[in-house]
Amino acid sequence: MAKSVSLTVGDNSYDFPVLGGSTGPDVVDIRKFYAETGMFTYDPGFTSTGSCESAITYIDGDKGMLLHRGYPIDDLAKNCNFEEVAYLLLNGELPNKEDKETFEHDITYHTMLHEQIHNFYSGFRRDAHPMAIMCGVVGAFSAFYHDSLDITNPDHRRISSYRLIAKMPTIAAWAYKYSLGQPFIYPRNDLGYAENFLYMMYATPCEDYEVNPTLARAMDRILILHADHEQNASTSTVRLAGSSGANPFACIAAGIASLWGPAHGGANEAVLNMLKEIGDVSRIDEYVKKAKDKNDPFRLMGFGHRVYKNYDPRATILSETCKEVLDELGVKDNPLLDIAVALEKLALEDEYFIEKKLYPNVDFYSGIIFQAMGIPVTMFTALFALARTTGWIAQWNEMIEDPQQKIGRPRQLFTGQTERPYLPLGKR
Ligand code: CMC
């Protein structure tokens, strides 16, 4: 029998259908709620609200499980490259050999930026935050790629998706080069996705540069781990922006803006700044106390998650990758890593963190890896944006193809002034 939920308001009773997905909690279908009851539901922060139907990514926060199209994240991170995961997110299946080669070829041949985009960079101050540059340059793409802006045309959508995924490493690496005052390095078609990014970051026209394969693999893995995470703030931003019919470049620029905040993608930068501020293992106690103090706004960055109430599976993989990278680079003593390890241990044993189910999240270790690779702190969130573009664009495509899709238009609980007569200037 079909399940439903009943609501009684005074003498009236209303029934709402309950819908079940392939796994995860059921949802109450309240699409007719306002029409039938005259009331809105109220859920700031969307803690109990499903905003869409999706078949891309599934998270079981209690088990610490993350699946893309059914595949566990650790299997994907260990066995695939980033391009295969991007293909999976976009198309629903892992590519066979031929599809993989075609996809990699197509992505590779879209990595160059329109030459006039150079001019865009020179409009920024040299000390501009890379996220500001990413937001601006990606938004500007809609002024450069007019031939792929018809969102009703599947070919246009595919080309825009490829352009975004392919060009993001170039945009990010150039933001870094611009901050240094070094010449931009063009992508190389003989390199893979993560390799190309490292090459464009560190090569100069003056000498040969060889990408370290261990670092390229670590970067590839980090990109996989950040590729998608269902309806988080930035993905929901992309969907909401796209629900009005805005072009994909504008939507992804909106996603980048949302990701920038320290509660979301900006946390990796915030973790490193926090570890530097703590400065020494002996001061960890003091900071844990601050994090627990209700009257202190300080939070342990890289801890806690809206959905995970268990270890973030991405953090587990990253802590292994972190060790591999530090070994490869011969880093024997890394004071920040020492602080991170001791902080993690202390927090995991502390009643406050246990009771609130606050575990390290993906951002806790990524910053240490980036730092060891020589990536500056301000680039950390840009790397997250680079990786998440694949998830954003897969979710955007899914939304456009959804026959139930409507413009996103939430309502409100109004608590402001009710109607009153206009006051002329002399009487205010
Ligand atoms: N340190 C100390 N206390 C915390 C922390 C923390 N990092 N995170 C949550 N709490 C406490 C919070 O004070 C609250 O306590 P109480 O119930 O007594 O008021 C309780 O735990 C629940 O927190 P919340 O803010 O209601 O939970 P939320 O789901 O709204 O927030 C979060 C999730 C990720 C924004 C939050 O845990 C946080 O600010 N963490 C630090 C920033 C961070 O690492 N962000 C990266 C998230 S993972 C990558 C991504 O998605 O971008």
Side-chain angles (χ1 to χ4, degrees):
M1 205 180 80
K3 282 198 266 181
S4 69
V5 160
S6 299
L7 174 77
T8 307
V9 184
D11 295 337
N12 299 323
S13 178
Y14 309 94
D15 279 339
F16 297 98
V18 171
L19 310 179
S22 46
T23 182
D26 290 343
V27 300
V28 183
D29 179 352
I30 54 161
R31 278 174 288 186
K32 298 209 171 109
F33 195 88
Y34 175 58
E36 291 187 6
T37 68
M39 292 187 289
F40 297 136
T41 57
Y42 180 62
D43 185 18
F46 306 119
T47 50
S48 300
T49 297
S51 60
C52 61
E53 203 176 303
S54 182
I56 301 177
T57 293
Y58 175 74
I59 304 172
D60 184 328
D62 293 325
K63 289 191 192 142
M65 173 200 266
L66 168 61
L67 310 176
H68 291 319
R69 305 283 193 185
Y71 294 107
I73 189 66
D74 29 345
D75 283 346
L76 295 174
K78 280 180 192 137
N79 302 306
C80 294
N81 67 12
F82 178 71
E83 294 93 311
E84 283 173 280
V85 175
Y87 183 98
L88 173 71
L89 291 170
L90 288 170
N91 300 295
E93 294 298 337
L94 282 167
N96 61 25
K97 193 168 174 294
E98 199 189 326
D99 293 337
K100 179 173 178 312
E101 282 167 12
T102 309
F103 184 69
E104 286 177 357
H105 174 275
D106 290 349
I107 293 296
T108 303
Y109 280 81
H110 278 294
T111 49
M112 277 204 301
L113 306 186
H114 190 291
E115 197 59 14
Q116 241 175 295
I117 287 176
H118 276 212
N119 301 340
F120 236 85
Y121 279 82
S122 46
F124 286 100
R125 283 170 52 134
R126 292 276 173 192
D127 61 356
H129 195 287
M131 286 297 274
I133 298 184
M134 302 272 284
C135 223
V137 173
V138 173
F141 270 17
S142 29
F144 284 90
Y145 299 106
H146 293 135
D147 59 341
S148 64
L149 293 183
D150 178 1
I151 63 163
T152 62
N153 180 330
D155 277 340
H156 280 215
R157 292 206 300 273
R158 187 180 50 80
I159 295 168
S160 288
S161 306
Y162 285 13
R163 280 183 169 145
L164 276 157
I165 295 170
K167 293 182 199 304
M168 213 50 120
T170 318
I171 302 173
W174 285 17
Y176 175 59
K177 287 298 197 194
Y178 186 72
S179 74
L180 295 180
Q182 285 187 4
F184 296 138
I185 298 295
Y186 287 83
R188 256 177 47 190
N189 287 353
D190 61 326
L191 299 180
Y193 192 84
E195 260 181 313
N196 226 340
F197 171 68
L198 291 174
Y199 171 75
M200 289 186 281
M201 285 280 290
Y202 297 120
T204 67
C206 319
E207 58 187 10
D208 284 342
Y209 177 82
E210 255 192 57
V211 180
N212 176 318
T214 308
L215 300 192
R217 181 66 197 129
M219 180 56 72
D220 194 70
R221 193 167 273 183
I222 291 171
L223 297 180
I224 293 172
L225 295 176
H226 288 83
D228 191 48
H229 214 227
E230 52 119 310
Q231 310 312 322
N232 54 80
S234 56
T235 303
S236 298
T237 302
V238 170
R239 280 185 178 259
L240 193 56
S243 75
S244 70
N247 74 69
F249 303 116
C251 298
I252 301 301
I256 296 171
S258 168
L259 185 78
W260 196 351
H264 193 8
N268 53 16
E269 184 174 339
V271 169
L272 215 84
N273 291 334
M274 175 190 76
L275 295 176
K276 281 184 188 156
E277 189 186 315
I278 297 176
D280 192 84
V281 175
S282 63
R283 296 185 62 203
I284 289 176
D285 258 343
E286 182 192 325
Y287 279 83
V288 170
K289 267 198 201 103
K290 264 165 79 65
K292 295 185 330 189
D293 182 353
K294 276 242 157 282
N295 301 316
D296 190 324
F298 174 78
R299 284 185 169 199
L300 277 193
M301 287 292 133
F303 268 81
H305 198 276
R306 170 63 62 80
V307 184
Y308 292 119
K309 301 302 166 199
N310 200 325
Y311 225 97
D312 178 341
R314 302 168 300 172
T316 317
I317 304 168
L318 271 190
S319 72
E320 285 165 24
T321 306
C322 186
K323 288 186 194 92
E324 280 165 30
V325 167
L326 296 183
D327 281 352
E328 174 67 20
L329 295 174
V331 179
K332 296 263 177 312
D333 297 308
N334 181 320
L336 294 184
L337 181 65
D338 293 345
I339 298 171
V341 170
L343 179 63
E344 181 186 351
K345 186 168 181 298
L346 196 84
L348 289 176
E349 287 166 358
D350 190 289
E351 204 38 54
Y352 173 94
F353 290 86
I354 296 171
E355 194 218 312
K356 294 190 188 301
K357 301 190 175 159
L358 299 168
Y359 292 87
N361 59 48
V362 69
D363 290 316
F364 193 68
Y365 279 106
S366 58
I368 297 169
I369 304 177
F370 291 153
Q371 200 222 17
M373 285 181 172
I375 294 171
V377 176
T378 53
M379 280 294 292
F380 291 4
T381 314
L383 272 159
F384 195 155
L386 187 175
R388 185 56 58 83
T389 296
T390 300
W392 288 332
I393 202 69
Q395 301 264 355
W396 174 83
N397 272 297
E398 185 183 62
M399 180 192 68
I400 300 291
E401 283 166 16
D402 182 351
Q404 302 191 56
Q405 189 267 328
K406 281 176 180 225
I407 185 167
R409 185 18 174 127
R411 303 305 297 263
Q412 62 179 2
L413 173 64
F414 183 70
T415 56
Q417 179 68 55
T418 53
E419 187 173 358
R420 53 179 163 168
Y422 171 74
L423 264 192
L425 189 59
K427 292 199 172 167
R428 288 174 218 162

